[in-house]
Amino acid sequence: MKIDLGIREALQSGFRQILPGMLTVLALLLLGESASAQTCDRTITADVVALDQPFFWNRLGAVQPQGMVFALRRDVVSIDSKLGLVPGNARLRDDKRPRPITLRMNVGDCLQIKFQNLLAPAPKDAEQPATRTAGVHIIGLQLVGGIASDGSNVGSNQSSLVSPGGRAVYTYYAEREGGHVLYNSAATTGGEGDGGSISAGLFGAVNVQAKGAEWYRSQVTAADLQLATKKDASGKPLKTSGGQPIIDYNAVYPAGHKYAGLPILKILSGSEVVHTDLNAIITGPNGSNFPAGTYRANPVEPNRNQPYREFTVIYHDEIGAVQAFPEFESTALQQTLHSVRDGFAINYGAAGAGAEILANRFGVGPMKDCTECKFEEFFLSSWSVGDPAQVVDVPANARDAKGNLIRGAKATKVLYADDPSNVHHSYLRDHVKFRILHGGSKEHHIHHQHTHQ
């Protein structure tokens, strides 16, 4: 196509004159509404760190030595107490299971994340990325205070990532209910859609609830439940007419407890997030229903304003797990076993079919005596393999001093009593919401439930 030189120059001159105005109008359209909306009903705070944290994927022994996670500072301790909480010297406390961090806020809230990078200055594992800067980037929430809240290093913008030891404050605003992926944008993936800090585990969720919502832990230990149970003057637990304990949702850990003064069930302490549970109970104001009209009624469920259980489900693929058994890397079997390896996970838990079949043949793990097991019974049945994504004191692939696989049952207990497996618990007539997110570096997966309505 030919354009007369004079016309072309006129067009170019016109565009040069018009373009700044167009960009200004576009900026106002994109930013004007959100800027005016960013009047915080309240500000929720979360003291978050990034750290190197190896973890097990399951009871058979698949492991993530290159693990990198987000956690609340209160859930982290020093590896060497003499050095204090410094980069490369941080780990999760013993009773805190590695899980994707889950933060919560309400519509109209601002979430202020006080972040510190506690990753080691150099990779602790060959599979970790060489990039050690980090930040907290949340997809779909509005920035407050400018681009410095973005947790990114893009174009000519000033980087809002920090090096090991560095600190930053990121503030986000929520205008509608829903789930949002949180992740480190510094080194997302490798050249084949794997690797990077996402595959290592540096991701989580921010769940936005309706205005006025209150949030409580949905899954605790028996000991914690006893502490949160109301008691009479003699100290005897109070129960309903049906024999259920009467719960004090405002209870705090008593004096002398290692978490004295911390809420047992409330996820917030004042305005600070103190629990990052994947699962929660969400109620309206004062533990009641949400105000009428909060949720639009439908023919299937006309009363949607009742409290509900919230289950956070984060899929992630290409997890980079070290497989439970060396047969996955053998020349004879690697092609056969590749598609059934532990390569796809949910919430830092994996339960493929390959390791389960091998464990059965080797006579180890809970499936060791199942002579009739076939197909899905090796990975879709708690009857044969135990609940998915359990972590135990002695994994099924444990070996003796000579490197020989120890046959028979070895595990004596499941770890993390408040969060033992990838099973979400609810009761008959409970209202339930699944927040489905993808924190992986490659394939997305469609969520579906069997025999649910």
Side-chain angles (χ1 to χ4, degrees):
M1 177 179 179
K2 295 182 179 180
I3 299 178
D4 180 84
L5 182 60
I7 296 176
R8 182 165 59 188
E9 289 179 348
L11 287 171
Q12 290 174 342
S13 175
F15 275 123
R16 282 195 295 269
Q17 294 177 20
I18 295 171
L19 188 58
M22 292 175 62
L23 292 176
T24 301
V25 172
L26 181 60
L28 290 172
L29 289 173
L30 292 175
L31 299 177
E33 182 180 352
S34 63
S36 64
Q38 290 170 359
T39 301
C40 309
D41 292 344
R42 61 176 179 173
T43 297
I44 302 299
T45 63
D47 194 355
V48 176
V49 299
L51 65 149
D52 302 290
Q53 178 66 49
F55 56 85
F56 280 95
W57 294 101
N58 52 47
R59 66 183 299 161
L60 298 184
V63 68
Q64 185 86 343
Q66 72 272 34
M68 303 164 70
V69 304
F70 290 112
L72 294 182
R73 183 181 298 276
R74 65 173 59 251
D75 293 331
V76 174
V77 297
S78 301
I79 297 173
D80 183 344
S81 59
K82 295 179 182 179
L83 299 177
L85 207 56
V86 296
N89 193 50
R91 65 173 179 85
L92 291 177
R93 53 183 168 84
D94 291 338
D95 61 342
K96 178 67 175 178
R97 179 169 182 172
R99 290 289 201 185
I101 190 172
T102 302
L103 305 176
R104 291 177 172 85
M105 61 193 300
N106 289 349
V107 171
D109 285 348
C110 287
L111 174 64
Q112 184 182 78
I113 298 175
K114 302 173 183 178
F115 174 71
Q116 185 179 17
N117 181 356
L118 293 179
L119 297 172
K124 284 196 167 186
D125 185 270
E127 294 298 318
Q128 287 186 336
T131 299
R132 307 305 286 171
T133 53
V136 180
H137 178 80
I138 304 172
I139 299 174
L141 294 183
Q142 296 181 17
L143 306 182
V144 176
I147 198 67
S149 282
D150 197 47
S152 65
N153 184 11
V154 178
S156 59
N157 293 326
Q158 184 176 353
S159 174
S160 47
L161 305 173
V162 294
S163 300
R167 297 173 183 264
V169 176
Y170 308 114
T171 307
Y172 290 87
Y173 174 84
E175 64 178 352
R176 60 179 62 85
E177 184 188 355
H180 301 264
V181 173
L182 169 161
Y183 71 99
N184 172 38
S185 68
T188 53
T189 64
E192 296 299 323
D194 55 8
S197 61
I198 290 181
S199 288
L202 267 181
F203 61 84
V206 176
N207 294 339
V208 180
Q209 320 298 340
K211 281 182 177 290
E214 297 178 356
W215 334 316
Y216 303 90
R217 303 179 71 194
S218 175
Q219 193 171 299
V220 297
T221 64
D224 282 352
L225 191 62
Q226 289 177 351
L227 289 175
T229 299
K230 293 183 178 180
K231 300 174 179 63
D232 62 20
S234 67
K236 183 179 179 181
L238 296 175
K239 295 185 177 182
T240 66
S241 58
Q244 299 298 317
I246 299 176
I247 304 301
D248 177 6
Y249 285 90
N250 295 312
V252 299
Y253 288 102
H257 194 280
K258 61 182 178 180
Y259 304 128
L262 190 72
I264 300 174
L265 298 177
K266 274 191 170 182
I267 289 175
L268 278 180
S269 178
S271 61
E272 181 184 2
V273 176
V274 293
H275 296 293
T276 58
D277 298 34
L278 291 160
N279 301 332
I281 296 172
I282 310 298
T283 75
N286 302 312
S288 62
N289 286 1
F290 290 92
T294 298
Y295 297 104
R296 186 172 61 184
N298 62 50
V300 175
E301 183 48 69
N303 182 10
R304 298 182 63 204
N305 297 317
Q306 293 180 353
Y308 54 88
R309 293 186 190 273
E310 177 182 77
F311 299 146
T312 307
V313 182
I314 308 180
Y315 294 127
H316 46 121
D317 213 331
E318 304 301 333
I319 59 177
V322 175
Q323 303 298 309
F325 301 105
E327 281 73 16
F328 284 91
E329 307 301 329
S330 72
T331 303
L333 292 174
Q334 62 180 348
Q335 293 299 323
T336 302
L337 294 174
H338 180 79
S339 62
V340 289
R341 74 197 191 285
D342 285 321
F344 165 66
I346 300 174
N347 297 339
Y348 298 168
E356 283 76 356
I357 294 172
L358 290 176
N360 173 262
R361 303 297 189 262
F362 296 153
V364 298
M367 65 291 294
K368 64 182 180 63
D369 296 323
C370 188
T371 56
E372 70 273 31
C373 280
K374 295 180 180 179
F375 308 114
E376 286 89 349
E377 290 168 345
F378 279 117
F379 72 109
L380 290 180
S381 173
S382 294
W383 165 72
S384 56
V385 301
D387 285 347
Q390 288 182 337
V391 179
V392 295
D393 56 347
V394 184
N397 68 346
R399 296 176 180 272
D400 61 23
K402 295 182 179 180
N404 299 314
L405 187 65
I406 302 171
R407 308 288 175 171
K410 296 179 285 293
T412 64
K413 63 179 180 181
V414 174
L415 305 180
Y416 310 111
D418 65 331
D419 190 9
S421 70
N422 276 5
V423 175
H424 302 284
H425 298 273
S426 60
Y427 294 87
L428 289 173
R429 303 187 66 82
D430 273 358
H431 293 253
V432 173
K433 284 189 180 181
F434 285 81
R435 304 287 189 193
I436 313 300
L437 302 166
H438 180 81
S441 59
K442 203 173 181 182
E443 293 92 348
H444 289 244
H445 293 263
I446 302 302
H447 177 81
H448 66 285
Q449 300 176 81
H450 293 248
T451 68
H452 282 66
Q453 296 182 10

